[in-house]
Amino acid sequence: MEATSPTLLRPLGLLAELTHRCPLGCPYCSNPVALESRADELDTATWARVFAEAAGLGVLQVHLSGGEPAARRDLVELTAAARQAGLYTNLITSAVGLSAERLAGLAQAGLDHVQISIQDSEAASADRIAGYEGAFVRKRALAAAVVQQGLPLTVNAVVHRANIDRIGEMVDQAVALGASRVEIAHVQYYGWAIPNRAMLMPAPEQVERAREQVEELRGRHHGIIVIDAVVPDYYARYPKPCVGGWGRRSLNVTPSGKVLPCHAAESIPGLEFWSVREHSVADIWCHSPAFNAFRGTDWMQEPCASCPRRFEDFGGCRCQAFALLRDARATDPVCHLSPHHGLLAELAGARRDAAYVYRRHTPAPAHATAQGDRD
């Protein structure tokens, strides 16, 4: 079987969700509402096959993620398998549960890069947001170990109303930790973030101050650290090309082996997701009904169908369109051309101060469907 057709691009990146287990309880967790259990996780040999098949398809880099990937006892073996497949390996970690000694083993196995998430520049606030006392200290300790191993470090700073006014301090923290890149990642309101949206949503004036501050920080730290940041969706005029376009350049494998076009794709009902337990990665990439559901432009409605930007942003995020409009084929309402764009201002204005609903690892029953548990 041909891995790709002349009109089908090869994937470049693979997000490997090794587990949904995680010690943190972040109120904006991007994992699905219905988590997959440890008993359903792929074994070491199957993951090694997935890495080899992905590399053969054209994938260049794998992001070892979760949950917390360090919850997998075979993480060193998985890293070695990815390296043996010829993939660039990036570990995305909360830093909780990963010791300096184990990190050394990962480096020896061929780990290329580490990304550590931070919740704030202040310890008490960071631990409160993460729902884990002592997380701040552990993150700093692991970051030091990463630099000591000579591995490139990226800091992922998840931004929302409680910490957006300390972006400067978080960038300074990333510089002090020895990171080469910092991502100012505004919360994406899917899954677990939806019940916390009113508590997490920043005010318009905070977003504007943050935008100006990022530009000032880029000038101040030029040549020292790369600062990635984009306008948060609810305050943007145009949508982002979510994952570079549906089924165009990346794929996501869940802990149990389901392959998704993006990490939130299971939130859209009616899609059929194939598993690496029954299909090869190439077969899924080319023929999976879920991957082909929103490829190209035939599925688009107006104003996307005739918009010259449809080959740039691909209609925006399908999961966000469904989450807000219950129609996965609708124009992402982030776009100011959408007739529903005003809904975002309405939702962004519905801010309130209340306790977070924290995320805890509660796997779905084996017989339950992911979407069924959400409805």
Side-chain angles (χ1 to χ4, degrees):
M1 184 192 69
E2 290 295 326
T4 57
S5 71
T7 58
L8 187 60
L9 298 174
R10 292 179 179 271
L12 300 177
L14 166 65
L15 178 64
E17 291 184 346
L18 303 179
T19 181
H20 279 161
R21 289 172 282 153
C22 184
L24 304 189
C26 301
Y28 45 74
C29 178
S30 61
N31 286 140
V33 172
L35 300 175
E36 296 178 352
S37 71
R38 178 177 183 174
D40 292 331
E41 292 174 6
L42 298 177
D43 60 21
T44 312
T46 304
W47 273 117
R49 173 176 63 80
V50 168
F51 295 152
E53 290 179 356
L57 185 60
V59 168
L60 301 177
Q61 57 185 342
V62 59
H63 305 282
L64 303 173
S65 182
E68 171 48 58
R72 292 277 306 219
R73 295 179 180 178
D74 58 352
L75 183 58
V76 171
E77 290 79 7
L78 292 172
T79 302
R83 166 52 71 92
Q84 185 175 3
L87 298 174
Y88 182 92
T89 55
N90 173 38
L91 179 67
I92 301 176
T93 177
S94 69
V96 176
L98 182 59
S99 67
E101 293 75 20
R102 197 169 180 211
L103 177 69
L106 292 171
Q108 188 173 4
L111 184 64
D112 292 299
H113 181 274
V114 177
Q115 176 181 307
I116 297 177
S117 62
I118 63 171
Q119 280 68 38
D120 206 335
S121 59
E122 299 177 353
S125 175
D127 288 355
R128 181 182 67 83
I129 294 167
Y132 189 100
E133 186 176 354
F136 181 85
V137 172
R138 291 177 181 234
K139 290 171 185 287
R140 292 180 64 88
L142 186 69
V146 169
V147 173
Q148 187 174 19
Q149 287 291 332
L151 293 169
L153 171 66
T154 291
V155 166
N156 178 263
V158 184
V159 174
H160 45 85
R161 186 161 82 246
N163 62 14
I164 190 172
D165 293 326
R166 289 186 290 279
I167 283 180
E169 289 86 345
M170 286 190 282
V171 171
D172 289 343
Q173 180 182 356
V175 171
L177 291 173
S180 58
R181 181 180 297 270
V182 59
E183 299 173 348
I184 308 300
H186 289 271
V187 168
Q188 298 288 302
Y189 295 98
Y190 313 119
W192 205 260
I194 290 180
N196 289 296
R197 180 168 51 200
M199 291 80 85
L200 294 167
M201 184 68 66
E205 57 271 20
Q206 288 183 300
V207 173
E208 179 57 26
R209 283 198 304 269
R211 186 192 64 78
E212 294 173 353
Q213 189 173 24
V214 165
E215 291 308 310
E216 186 273 328
L217 289 165
R218 282 172 170 159
R220 186 200 314 171
H221 295 297
H222 180 71
I224 300 173
I225 192 170
V226 176
I227 303 174
D228 292 330
V230 295
V231 175
D233 281 351
Y234 281 50
Y235 292 98
R237 279 177 54 82
Y238 290 106
K240 296 185 291 293
C242 187
V243 293
W246 185 279
R248 293 186 78 252
R249 284 305 200 184
S250 65
L251 44 80
N252 178 84
V253 181
T254 75
S256 69
K258 286 180 288 186
V259 186
L260 318 177
C262 76
H263 72 278
E266 288 179 281
S267 65
I268 301 175
L271 294 180
E272 180 185 345
F273 301 103
W274 289 1
S275 171
V276 297
R277 297 181 191 271
E278 291 87 33
H279 299 268
S280 70
V281 174
D283 189 22
I284 294 170
W285 179 255
C286 296
H287 303 122
S288 164
F291 274 82
N292 286 311
F294 301 110
R295 278 177 169 153
T297 59
D298 290 346
W299 58 269
M300 290 183 176
Q301 302 174 1
E302 293 293 349
C304 289
S306 59
C307 179
R309 290 179 59 91
R310 66 188 182 280
F311 301 112
E312 298 176 39
D313 58 34
F314 310 103
C317 179
R318 299 301 87 223
C319 302
Q320 186 155 256
F322 180 79
L324 297 178
L325 305 177
R326 313 309 288 179
D327 183 357
R329 288 174 171 76
T331 298
D332 186 339
V334 167
C335 183
H336 73 284
L337 299 175
S338 165
H340 305 288
H341 182 66
L343 175 62
L344 293 184
E346 179 183 336
L347 292 172
R351 298 181 299 276
R352 62 188 176 92
D353 294 322
Y356 296 137
V357 180
Y358 286 101
R359 183 72 199 252
R360 298 303 177 196
H361 182 76
T362 307
H367 64 275
T369 63
Q371 184 60 35
D373 275 10
R374 289 189 186 90
D375 289 343

